[in-house]
Amino acid sequence: MTATLDTPKFELKPYKSLSNEELQSRIQKVRDEMGSKLLILGHHYQQDEVVAQADLLGDSYQLSQMAANSSDCRVIAFCGVHFMAETADILANRPEKLEERAGQRVQVILPDMAAGCSMADMAAIDQIEDAWDQLGEVLDTEDITPVTYINSAASLKAFVGRHGGIVCTSSNAQAAIEWAFARRSRVMFFPDQHLGRNTAMGMGITLDKMPVWDPFAEELGGNTAEALEQSKVILWKGHCSVHQVFRPEHVDLFRKQHPGIKILVHPECPREVFELADEYGSTGKIIRTVEAAPPGTKWAIGTELHLVNRLKQEHPEQEVHFLSPVVCMCATMYRIDLAHLCWSLENMLAGTPVNIIDVDEETARWSLVALERMLEVN
Ligand code: 13P
Ligand code: SF4
């Protein structure tokens, strides 16, 4: 699903010893040459030097919209992680867009192919298909809507598209689950158990109706047939290693040391932290919440470190803390740096593109079905 030419004109190694100033000026040269044909998209968890290069910055939902709406560009350099670049490829090259551009594709580049997502890796397509088959032994799968978090491989999105399901992001998970229940009486939610649980509990679904499917269990994901029959939402046993570090003790500590502090968390946080929080939301919502708060507001924020540090710098009128004594950032997002960005852009300009994300036609077709539903629901 990904293609890389074997003989790039430029090797990566020399770029690693260049200064940031040199890399910035070389990236600017590529920009000058390409103009509006190049679009650099960046997720809010990227490091500051990379954020400074982004034409558009967003959370997962906003970035999907930006890729879907892109018109002039012929190349998207995606400063984020692999599943985001796959999504951009599918949306930017969907049939109506290809028709608009007389068949010309947008090339999507992920500057470092090692920028994956450990949560997305917790659900492989063969595990999902196996779970679906096993569920079919005890339940009517025609009555289950599969919902995949966007943090998943394109093959899972295609599975969901084929089976009447929907993709969601952290900003529209509730609307997506409502969409799913309007059609069938049960939901299977993967790969993030926390987003699924936090969202479904907010909709009044109780824990006894949310069994967790462990793909490594011998049978029925470690559940009894009765537990599955009683279920409303079957949760996949996956999580984000970054958001998993926040603990209730951290909330207690901040409340004790900073009276009046507000706890603001991402819904990928575990339930026991989420339920102690004052406010929650996707990355975009977290930013908007801090922006809208009056001066002097104190926050302890449970999400990726680079974003929290940026909020701290951008809002000196407020007091912003990272909700953990342990430094924890998204190591895979962090793989994208100026050296990889410059290297991939210069190779693209030289006609020897590297790290192109090219989702195969069949997978893209079915993923698109589920992604278009996601974009309609918010
Ligand atoms: P959002 O961008 O939807 O907030 O998701 C956060 C995340 O973990 C991205 O991988
Ligand atoms: Fe994946 Fe978590 Fe990193 Fe997001 S923050 S890319 S979910 S590992």
Side-chain angles (χ1 to χ4, degrees):
M1 262 184 285
T2 50
T4 304
L5 292 186
D6 287 331
T7 50
K9 181 164 178 195
F10 306 112
E11 292 298 328
L12 173 63
K13 206 168 166 208
Y15 289 78
K16 294 192 170 168
S17 50
L18 298 177
S19 69
N20 275 356
E21 292 69 32
E22 172 74 2
L23 290 164
Q24 281 154 355
S25 108
R26 286 170 62 165
I27 292 170
Q28 189 54 46
K29 279 199 190 119
V30 179
R31 282 181 174 290
D32 294 343
E33 191 135 342
M34 293 201 62
S36 60
K37 297 268 177 287
L38 170 65
L39 178 66
I40 302 182
L41 294 181
H43 190 273
H44 289 296
Y45 294 170
Q46 291 290 303
Q47 42 189 315
D48 289 350
E49 303 90 90
V50 175
V51 164
Q53 295 298 328
D55 296 301
L56 298 169
L57 200 58
D59 65 12
S60 302
Y61 188 84
Q62 294 161 332
L63 289 166
S64 305
Q65 279 180 319
M66 290 163 189
N69 297 336
S70 58
S71 49
D72 281 1
C73 77
R74 293 296 174 269
V75 174
I76 293 177
F78 207 109
C79 299
V81 290
H82 194 270
F83 71 80
M84 297 179 181
E86 278 189 331
T87 302
D89 177 52
I90 295 164
L91 290 171
N93 291 308
R94 66 195 190 282
E96 68 186 87
K97 280 284 166 184
L98 284 179
E99 204 174 310
E100 260 176 42
R101 295 191 300 265
Q104 266 197 299
R105 286 186 71 81
V106 170
Q107 248 180 10
V108 177
I109 293 170
L110 181 65
D112 186 345
M113 285 301 212
C117 165
S118 54
M119 177 204 286
D121 292 344
M122 289 176 196
I125 185 62
D126 55 332
Q127 293 175 317
I128 295 287
E129 280 169 348
D130 177 53
W132 198 253
D133 289 346
Q134 287 194 54
L135 281 172
E137 290 164 19
V138 287
L139 301 173
D140 174 10
T141 48
E142 293 289 311
D143 197 32
I144 306 177
T145 309
V147 179
T148 188
Y149 190 21
I150 194 165
N151 299 31
S152 56
S155 52
L156 271 68
K157 296 182 177 87
F159 174 92
V160 162
R162 271 193 213 101
H163 290 87
I166 186 167
V167 177
C168 75
T169 72
S170 62
S171 62
N172 72 349
Q174 175 159 344
I177 294 179
E178 280 164 1
W179 181 97
F181 277 128
R183 283 152 182 84
R184 296 172 189 170
S185 62
R186 261 185 259 267
V187 162
M188 183 176 188
F189 190 96
F190 39 81
D192 185 14
Q193 57 172 305
H194 301 305
L195 177 66
R197 185 178 296 113
N198 289 331
T199 309
M201 286 189 81
M203 296 166 69
I205 299 169
T206 48
L207 276 180
D208 58 323
K209 301 227 168 339
M210 279 191 252
V212 177
W213 187 280
D214 177 355
F216 296 103
E218 229 155 74
E219 253 185 292
L220 297 181
N223 299 288
T224 60
E226 296 71 45
L228 293 169
E229 277 155 14
Q230 262 193 39
S231 69
K232 287 297 286 174
V233 178
I234 301 162
L235 300 169
W236 192 260
K237 195 173 180 195
H239 64 266
C240 165
S241 41
V242 176
H243 292 91
Q244 182 104 333
V245 300
F246 301 109
R247 307 293 321 144
E249 310 78 273
H250 304 154
V251 176
D252 296 342
L253 194 71
F254 272 104
R255 289 228 161 100
K256 208 159 130 200
Q257 291 180 346
H258 304 269
I261 199 161
K262 283 181 186 289
I263 310 295
L264 172 57
V265 301
H266 194 281
E268 286 175 17
C269 288
R271 181 72 202 166
E272 53 282 18
V273 172
F274 185 86
E275 62 192 6
L276 293 175
D278 298 293
E279 300 197 41
Y280 70 91
S282 70
T283 302
K285 166 101 184 286
I286 288 176
I287 295 170
R288 291 191 296 279
T289 303
V290 174
E291 278 169 359
T297 309
K298 290 189 256 180
W299 298 105
I301 305 182
T303 194
E304 207 275 341
L305 183 66
H306 287 91
L307 172 61
V308 178
N309 283 342
R310 198 167 310 117
L311 285 168
K312 202 184 281 190
Q313 282 159 25
E314 288 172 358
H315 294 280
E317 82 289 0
Q318 301 184 37
E319 196 181 306
V320 176
H321 300 267
F322 183 62
L323 177 63
S324 166
V326 183
V327 168
C328 186
M329 56 171 195
C330 179
T332 47
M333 287 265 184
Y334 190 67
R335 295 199 67 100
I336 307 292
D337 56 14
L338 291 186
H340 282 87
L341 181 59
C342 185
W343 167 71
S344 56
L345 290 178
E346 289 189 346
N347 268 308
M348 180 267 302
L349 203 57
T352 56
V354 289
N355 295 5
I356 299 167
I357 303 295
D358 187 10
V359 178
D360 71 79
E361 227 178 285
E362 183 67 1
T363 305
R365 187 161 71 88
W366 283 108
S367 299
L368 182 62
V369 171
L371 282 165
E372 284 183 329
R373 291 174 184 147
M374 171 193 90
L375 290 171
E376 280 161 20
V377 159
N378 51 57

